[in-house]
Structures are given as structure tokens and as C-alpha cells.
Amino acid sequence: MSSNVSQHVNRNADQDLYPAGVSSPALFLAWMIVGVMASLPSAALESHRVVLVPIAAIPAVAAWWTRFREGESRWLVPLGLLWGVIMVWSHQTVIPNLPPEMVRQKVIIQGVVTDREDRKDSQLLILDEVVSGTWHASGRVRVTFSRQRTTVMPGDRVRIPVRLRPLSGYRNPGGFDYRTFLLEQGVMATGSATGPVEKIGSTQAWFWNRWRQEISDWIAVTLPVSQRGLGEALLVGKRGHLESDLLDALFVSGTFHLVAISGLHLTLVGGTVFFLVRLGLTLIPPLSRRWDMKRAAALVSLGPVLCYCYLAGWSVSVQRAFIMVGLFLLSVVWQRRRQSWRILALSAIAVLSWQPSQLMNIGFQLSYLCVMVILFLVDHLPAKTWKERVIWAVVSTVSIGLVLAPVELYSFNRFSPYGMIVNFFAIPWVGEFSTPLGLAGMVIHEFWPKGGDLLLGWMGWTLEIYRELIEWTLRQPGSWSRAAGPTLPGVALFLAAGVVAASIHRPGVWWWKRVVMTVVALLGLWWPREFVPDSLLRLIVLDVGQAMSMLLKMPGGGWSVVDAGGAVTPRFNIGEAVTSASLWHFGVKRLERVVVSHPQQDHMSGVVQLMRNFPVGSLWLTRMSISEREDHSAMDLLAAAERFRVPVRFFDGPQEIREGAGVLRILPPLQSKRAVKLNDRSLVVEIVYGQHRFLLTGDMEKREEAWLVSQKALQPVTVLLAPHHGSLTSSSHAFVQAVHPEHVVFSVGQDNQWGFPKPEVVRRWREIGARLWRTDQDGAVSFHSDGMSLKITTGE
């Protein structure tokens, strides 16, 4: 009897210290993740689900085996698995659609402003309770102001003339699902304002966002422009004034997480309040002698942490962080401090039950991984003396950096070689000086404005030092490091095997199992990505909206990009987010060439970013006239090529280049004296491989089409990129008959304002029996050929 009691006590003590692999919440969570992974509708999961589900089952099976040996909680396995599936099923939403008569039409909408974000180049309003005539929106509407500004505040009821658009997102290999991102925020449509905002009333709703906006306005008039973006990001979670250069510096230094309010910031707020409250209560002897001040301080700390969540905008990431921090504070109140692993598992269960799609969210992954590393080190590394604390700080910084690096590399295709060093100084500086000064200034400003302004100014001074640090990092050699990174299955295996390795704690005989699982985790990073056989030609017409960009892999040769246009803003670059991301998806490290059909933004806006991200063998352009060379867009492109040491090759006549088993042909451009505009001088590229021909036409119009027909430069082709996005200025009858393609691809944006492709052009191609593809409907269209057969896939 005494022996059994002793074993039970020892096992419980062991679980308190190392509960990751044996606690009931951890077992339930592990199988819940398997259920979510098996049923979650996600574009990233679809092509890998058959591999990812077994990988997710590795820690789940390990946890089950441990509990099975202990003879407890066998029902947690089916319950966790079923709960994950049920949560996914219960949270599935039907994507709302705008009435067709409202799409891109000028309409007047009414709604309540829930949030406002001021940006350097624009302004953004989020509206709820939106109506227009008899139509009632089933979600929020996101309205962008490009040329005007408004001073309306959250809680105001407004009337705005807008052009509405249904939710859309680019569907490309390795791409970000922007539509799902907006849906998770409750947004069902976007729009651009076509007139001024009229305030028609006010409500008490969204008072916390009104408070945030007032603080944001205070920051704007108190801090210099160079400090405003960082100040707003840290205090109210708004990043609209973070310039593109500063964003680059934040990513390169590996400190972007400091301006994305998450668990780190809530922990700092909760920890500071906890320390101050506990210290104050301890100074009152009658209280400190009778009650545990830790419990009282933890309970009081919940209030300020919750207020900070509302101050930060109560976003999805902030809500996730509050669940984590709130449960840890409650564990102190309930005297369960030693069960940190259990609390962590419970918080993850709560988050995934509330929103299962968070499993694939990079913020969720980084937050929980960071906490897991810290808890593991707390269990294994002493930190009692000051020397041990210094060692602990160094080891924890390095460990967190190493563990998070594969996940960040997969998600952002960035490697921060200086990140560990910079974080070692930046985290305590921003966490212990900048943020507390700003929060204290914000509180004091309510009853002593001058004192609040003074503290905010001190915060700005600390942020200036932080900015100089990260900008200095950006200037260091090798700081701008981009790479394809590991694959999704590889990252999943790295995490799954790493969790099992960290959970193995039994001394003696089990040490080798930890070594084996660590090796498996590291091997996961070399999981092979989608392989394009060297004998295949692959042409991918990317989904880049009302623009054009294509990836080309020559058989036996390298990768090229033909055009790289699309949207470019201070927060989004098509060359980074779409073209580069798709290249990294295939593991591309170098580009043989970048071809720009003609120097217009919808064909070249992403080229500079491509030259920055990849070594480029050469840049191909059509021969430019003097006036074209004086155009600032063309000059900027040539200057960037010189800066990145990319040779420029101009074409003013037909050329043929053999690469591997294929041939690249430049068709004879229209003579300059015959050209009227840039489109008339589009560089037309023909790719020949075996029995198939692919013709890429840029924005060629009827004048150039007639020239090529007269020069007898055209032959029937297998695949044609429709000239000028399917406009009426192209696809003449003579050209259609000359090329007579089997497949025609229209690179167009959803519900674009020009109505491309035009119905007459579509009918013209259908009359000759061509099969039509559209990037706005099909996503990226990919053609694979071995010279004989042709395989087509869409929406990868």
C-alpha cells in the first residue's frame, strides 16, 4: 500500500514538473490538433493533408502511449479528436457575396465606424451595421480613402459614397490567403470611397476604439514623424505609419514581433502590474501577514491586462494572448503555479475551440513555441544567482531564435542573421523602457497633460535609439537574407518531433530517445519540396489581379520571370508577396532572366523586388526611345538594375536563344516609327519545346499584331497569353486565325473596372475552339509539358 502511494506521489510530482507529454490537457490538445488538421478547410493544407495528419499524430500518439502506460484517461483520445472535428465544422462560414448590381458601382452606404487607421498614403475605415437601400451587409465593410481624409471617430454613424468589391485574394503557389484573413476579421466586402464622409449620428458602441483613436491623435501631434509609427504600434496596435524602409529594418533585425502586440506585451503589462501591486500590498503588514499577496496581485493584474487588450484593438492575436496570460494569472490565483504546461495546453484548447483556423496562423505558432521554449528552460536551467540569470537570458534568446527560425523562414522567407543579437538588447530596451514610458504617459495625460507629453517624449527618445539600432543592422553585410526555407511538411515534422523530444524526461534509459527525436526534427527541415523534373517545361500564369506575371522553367534550363506587375503600396509589393513567394515555393535560388514586355507598372512594378530577392542573370527589355527612357518608371527600373548589378539586354529585332532542350524566341518588335504608344512595342516571347509552342504577348495591340502577321512571324500555338488582358484593342481576327491556340489565358483582375476580358474578344477565341482560362476565376494557371503531352492545373 505504501509503495503504491509513494509511486502515485512521485508520478504526480513528475507530472507537475514535466507535464507536457503526460497531462490530460496536453493529451486532449494533441488529438484535438489532429482532428483540426484533418478537417480544416485551408488552401495550404489541401495538397499536403495526407502527409500532415500523420505528422501531427506523432506527438498525439506519444502522449497517448505515455498515458496508456499509466492506465488513465483513455477516453481523452477520441474526445480530443472528435472535438477538433466538431470545432472546425461549427466554425465554417459561408462566404457572403455582394449583389451583382452593387459590384464596382457607385452606391451610398450607411454604417457605424468600428475602427479607423490613418496611413501615410491613405486612410482606412471599418464599418459595421452597413446598409444600402434595402440591402443589409452580413458582415463588416472595409473602406479605403486614397485622396481625402476624414476625422470621424469609432462609434460615429456615417454615410459614404463608395465602389464596393467582393472579397478576393490571389491564388498562387505558396501564396497568402488574403480573403480568409479578412473573413476572420468579420469583413465581407471592401470598397473605395468616391466622395466625402457625412456624419449622421453617434453611438456609444466601440468606445474603446474611440479611445484608441484619441490616443493615436495625441501621439501624432506629440511625437516626430520618424517616431510616430513605432509609438502607435506599441501603444495602440496601429501600424499604418510604419514606412516600408522601417518595416524592412524590423524584419531584417528580427524584431518585428516587438511592434505586433501579442503575448510578450501583455506579459510585460501583467508582470509590471503584478510586481507593483504585490510590492504595495506587502508594505501593509496586517494584509501581508494574513493573506497571500501573490494571489491578490494576480487577480488585480487581470484588470489592467484586459484594458490593454482593448487599447490594442482587441484583435485576434490580442485575444489569443489574453487567453494565455489570463489563464496563467488565474493559475496563480488558484495556486496552480507549478502546472504551467497544463495552463499552456488549456489556453491552446480554448483558442482552437474559439477559432480552429488559428492553428495555421503564424502568430499562434510563434506565440506558443516561444512560451514552450521558455517553460522548458525554466524546468531545466537554474536561474537563482545573477550569473545564472545572465546565462539563462543568453540561452533563452538563442534557443527561441533557433526554434522559431524554421517557422519564420517558411512563413516569411526571411532569415535574420543578426536577430538573436539584436533581440538580446531590443527586447529589454523596448519592454522595460519604451512601452512602460508610453503607457505611463498615456495614463498621466488624462489628468496632467504636460506630464503625459513629457513621458511620451521620453518614449520617443528611446524609440529613436531602437530605430537607429535596427537601421544600423539593415546596413550590415549579409543582413538582407532571403531564402526558400523549409516546406510545410518539413516544418510540421520539425515541430512534432521537437515537442516529443522536449517531452521525454525520464532519466537513464530514455536519453537516447530524446536524441533520436531531435535528429528527426532536424531532418524534417530537409523535407523535399515540390519537384519540377529537369526534363519538364513549366509555365505558370500567376494570379496578380489586373496585371501580368509569369514564371517559366525551361526544360534542362533555369527559371525566368516574364513580367512582374501588380499592386505596390508601402505595405504590399506584388514582387515580394506573389512572384517571389511562388518562386520560393519551388525552391528557386536564382533567376536566369527577368523579361519586361514594356515599361508599364502593371507589368514591371515588382521587378525591383525580384532583383533584390534573387540573383538575376539579365534583364530583358525592348529597345526604348528617348522619351521612354526619360519616363521615371523606366529610369527607376534601369537604376535598380545597375544597383543590383543586373546586366540589361535590349531587343530591337528578332532573336533566338536555346536553353536546355527548349528555345526562347523574341519575335520582331514593331519599328519605333510605326509605334504610337508603349503597348505597340511590347516584347513578344515564344517558347518552343517539342510539339508545343507558348506565346506570351504582353500588352500587344492590333497595330503590332498586324505587323507580326505581315512579317509571317506567327504560327499556330498550344498556349497563348491573351494580348492586353483581352481588351478590344487586341485579338484582331487576322491574329486569332494566325495563332489559332488550343488554350488562351486571360490575366485579369476580379470585377476589374475595364470589364476585361471583353465579351467580344472571349467570343472570338471560343469560335476557333480554344479553351479559355481566367486568373480571376481559376487562380494561377500552370502548364506542364514534356514536349509531347500537356498537363494543366489551376489555383495552386
Side-chain angles (χ1 to χ4, degrees), residues 431-452:
E432 301 298 334
F433 294 101
S434 302
T435 304
L437 282 170
L439 292 175
M442 179 189 65
V443 174
I444 292 174
H445 185 265
E446 295 297 321
F447 56 88
W448 184 26
K450 289 186 177 180

Side-chain angles (χ1 to χ4, degrees), residues 276 363 571 634:
L276 294 176
R571 289 157 300 279

Side-chain angles (χ1 to χ4, degrees), residues 473-492:
T473 307
L474 184 63
R475 295 191 296 270
Q476 300 312 300
S479 62
W480 186 262
S481 301
R482 312 307 304 274
T487 63
L488 180 57
V491 172

Side-chain angles (χ1 to χ4, degrees), residues 487 528-536 538 553 559 585-587 784:
T487 63
R529 63 181 61 254
E530 183 179 351
F531 177 66
V532 180
D534 198 49
S535 60
L536 284 185
R538 185 157 192 177
K553 167 66 173 68
W559 285 83
H585 175 76
F586 296 109
H784 319 242

Side-chain angles (χ1 to χ4, degrees), residues 177-199:
D177 192 347
Y178 184 63
R179 184 173 65 170
T180 299
F181 169 76
L182 290 178
L183 281 172
E184 289 178 351
Q185 299 181 58
V187 176
M188 60 81 60
T190 61
S192 55
T194 59
V197 178
E198 178 186 356
K199 180 180 174 181

Side-chain angles (χ1 to χ4, degrees), residues 678-725:
L678 280 176
N679 288 354
D680 295 334
R681 295 274 294 160
S682 289
L683 204 63
V684 179
V685 181
E686 184 181 47
I687 302 107
V688 182
Y689 180 41
Q691 298 179 359
H692 298 291
R693 294 176 182 270
F694 306 81
L695 191 63
L696 312 180
T697 58
D699 274 357
M700 176 174 64
E701 297 186 358
K702 292 180 179 179
R703 187 175 285 102
E704 189 171 5
E705 291 176 355
W707 165 260
L708 292 177
V709 171
S710 69
Q711 296 296 303
K712 295 183 170 45
L714 299 173
Q715 302 181 50
V717 300
T718 309
V719 176
L720 170 77
L721 180 69
H724 200 191
H725 315 281

